[in-house]
Amino acid sequence: MDHKETYQQDCMSPFLGKVDVSCEYGELTVTSSCTQGCWAGNMTIDSGALIVYPNMVSGEEYETSCPTGYAGFVTLTCVDQTPEVTDGACYSHCLQGRYIGDSWNVVYEPIYHGETEEIDCG
């Protein structure tokens, strides 16, 4: 490379971005903005829902519905090898059970997130 010469090249796969190379006074300078994508996998988000995602390049978004047992959707964004939730949420349904009050109780079947059930006291 000649003195004061510069060039830019694409990052090699599986990275995305550019590499800047320059030469000045016999010193080579390399500056990289390469980021790596996210390999297909799964992650457990704050609500406890397990989200499965495909291969993504850095900066790519993936939107999916929440898994069985949850309501909602999430958008994941690949940020240099790490998928992050950037929008949405998964809300868990209420499992069947029994609520015991001071002088009464209610037995209930599963109730979906956001729904209301009217049940006779027992």
Side-chain angles (χ1 to χ4, degrees), residues 43 45-47 51 60-66 71-79 83-91:
M43 66 184 290
I45 62 175
D46 289 342
S47 65
I51 304 298
E60 184 177 5
E61 292 184 342
Y62 171 70
E63 184 177 310
T64 186
S65 297
C66 295
F73 75 94
V74 291
T75 300
L76 301 180
T77 303
C78 177
V79 181
E84 297 179 359
V85 176
T86 53
D87 192 23
C90 292
Y91 303 99

Side-chain angles (χ1 to χ4, degrees), residues 14-35:
F15 297 91
L16 184 66
K18 302 283 183 189
V19 176
D20 294 309
V21 181
S22 62
C23 176
E24 190 167 337
Y25 303 107
E27 294 281 330
L28 185 67
T29 302
V30 178
T31 306
S32 168
S33 63
C34 298
T35 57

